[in-house]
């Protein structure tokens, strides 16, 4: 069974540009989560989507946004990029929350975003 | 802000030795999970322990949870060089949002 996939693996952008990161969850998983791992700041929760709806949002500015498509894949968009947005962006997926009995989230390999 | 604090921040041991990492958290939880991360790549789910469980085993891994002390420990027995990685605990203090600790960097020398 395929795991969570993310694309691209690496992304280099300049300040002020926009970045789009993509995630495909494990088959059967409807919840998708985005986390940022920046140097010195640790892993921080960004967004949670389930059944196409945004369910929860971390303490990030509105220029971080996303969406979930009918096939449960997801996109994370970061507008007006700043140098401090350079980080590893990790996507995770889990079973539907209405059947979730354990809470495991399974992570993809991440997208390394570098803003110059 | 981070919920958990891992201890130690870094640990260096010889192959075959046991490695123990600790995690403390601040608020009530439904479950606590441990993850491994190799060289800045994705996280690998290791084990989940629910708040009503005290101990759980998976292969060479043993996790304990003490909700009265708001702490958990991860024991890796008979460590191997391939266990070299960063280890994170994560709690579900805010619904399905995981809150991670700062992690323990484990180095297993062969």
């Amino acid at each position: 069974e395929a795991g969570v996939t993310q694309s691209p693996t690496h992304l280099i952008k300049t300040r002020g540009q926009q970045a789009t990161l993509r995630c495909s969850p494990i088959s059967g998983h409807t919840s998708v989560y985005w986390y940022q791992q920046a140097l010195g700041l640790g892993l921080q929760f960004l967004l949670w989507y389930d059944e196409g709806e945004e369910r929860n949002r971390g303490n990030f500015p509105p220029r971080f946004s996303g969406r979930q498509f009918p096939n449960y894949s997801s996109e994370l968009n970061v507008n007006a990029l700043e140098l401090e947005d350079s980080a590893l962006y990790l996507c995770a997926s889990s079973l539907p929350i209405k059947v979730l009995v354990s809470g495991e989230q399974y992570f993809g390999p991440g997208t390394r975003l570098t803003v110059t | 802000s981070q919920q958990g604090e891992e201890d130690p921040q870094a640990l260096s041991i010889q192959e075959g030795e046991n490695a123990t990492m600790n995690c403390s958290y601040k608020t009530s939880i439904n479950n606590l999970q441990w993850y491994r991360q190799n060289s800045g790549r994705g996280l690998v789910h290791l084990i989940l322990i629910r708040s009503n469980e005290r101990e759980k085993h998976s292969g060479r891994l043993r996790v304990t949870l003490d909700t009265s002390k708001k702490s958990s420990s991860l024991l890796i027995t008979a460590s191997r060089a391939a266990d070299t990685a960063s280890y994170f605990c994560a709690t579900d203090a805010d619904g399905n949002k995981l809150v991670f600790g700062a992690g323990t960097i484990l180095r297993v020398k062969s």
Side-chain angles (χ1 to χ4, degrees):
Chain A
E1 181 183 297
V4 177
T5 59
Q6 291 187 245
S7 64
T9 304
H10 294 93
L11 191 57
I12 300 174
K13 295 283 186 178
T14 56
R15 280 182 65 186
Q17 286 188 316
Q18 179 196 30
T20 298
L21 289 65
R22 296 180 177 84
C23 171
S24 291
I26 292 170
S27 178
H29 286 190
T30 63
S31 277
V32 171
Y33 312 81
W34 288 95
Y35 293 86
Q36 182 198 64
Q37 188 177 30
L39 201 61
L41 293 177
L43 279 148
Q44 298 192 72
F45 168 78
L46 257 168
L47 290 160
W48 167 28
Y49 290 96
D50 183 72
E51 298 282 356
E53 301 284 332
E54 183 180 299
R55 301 289 185 178
N56 201 349
R57 183 181 182 84
N59 189 24
F60 282 85
R63 58 190 186 82
F64 286 83
S65 65
R67 55 180 172 166
Q68 187 177 33
F69 299 99
N71 67 352
Y72 305 114
S73 67
S74 177
E75 243 177 35
L76 173 68
N77 295 293
V78 188
N79 293 320
L81 284 165
E82 300 178 3
L83 296 177
E84 52 265 35
D85 297 332
S86 294
L88 180 68
Y89 289 83
L90 293 163
C91 172
S93 73
S94 74
L95 287 169
I97 52 173
K98 52 186 174 290
V99 300
L100 194 65
V101 294
S102 56
E104 286 107 341
Q105 294 182 18
Y106 297 91
F107 283 78
T111 293
R112 174 81 55 191
L113 173 63
T114 302
V115 182
T116 62
Chain B
S1 63
Q2 291 179 323
Q3 158 86 309
E5 297 285 337
E6 274 98 338
D7 162 49
Q9 289 185 324
L11 181 60
S12 183
I13 59 174
Q14 291 292 135
E15 209 166 24
E17 293 181 338
N18 295 342
T20 299
M21 286 158 270
N22 303 297
C23 166
S24 61
Y25 56 92
K26 297 172 185 171
T27 62
S28 297
I29 60 171
N30 295 308
N31 62 60
L32 184 145
Q33 304 182 54
W34 284 91
Y35 287 87
R36 184 185 75 226
Q37 185 178 38
N38 291 80
S39 301
R41 295 184 211 141
L43 299 174
V44 174
H45 186 270
L46 295 176
I47 200 164
L48 178 149
I49 186 165
R50 294 190 176 86
S51 59
N52 61 354
E53 296 174 314
R54 292 296 165 257
E55 188 171 311
K56 205 161 181 180
H57 297 253
S58 177
R60 294 184 296 113
L61 306 180
R62 173 180 166 244
V63 167
T64 61
L65 179 65
D66 187 335
T67 53
S68 66
K69 294 181 180 177
K70 291 188 170 57
S71 68
S72 173
S73 68
L74 170 67
L75 168 67
I76 303 174
T77 60
S79 62
R80 305 165 182 168
D83 294 329
T84 294
S86 293
Y87 291 82
F88 296 90
C89 68
T91 56
D92 67 338
D94 186 7
N96 275 23
K97 160 188 166 183
L98 288 181
V99 181
F100 286 85
T104 293
I105 299 170
L106 173 65
R107 183 185 169 209
V108 182
K109 295 176 283 187
S110 55

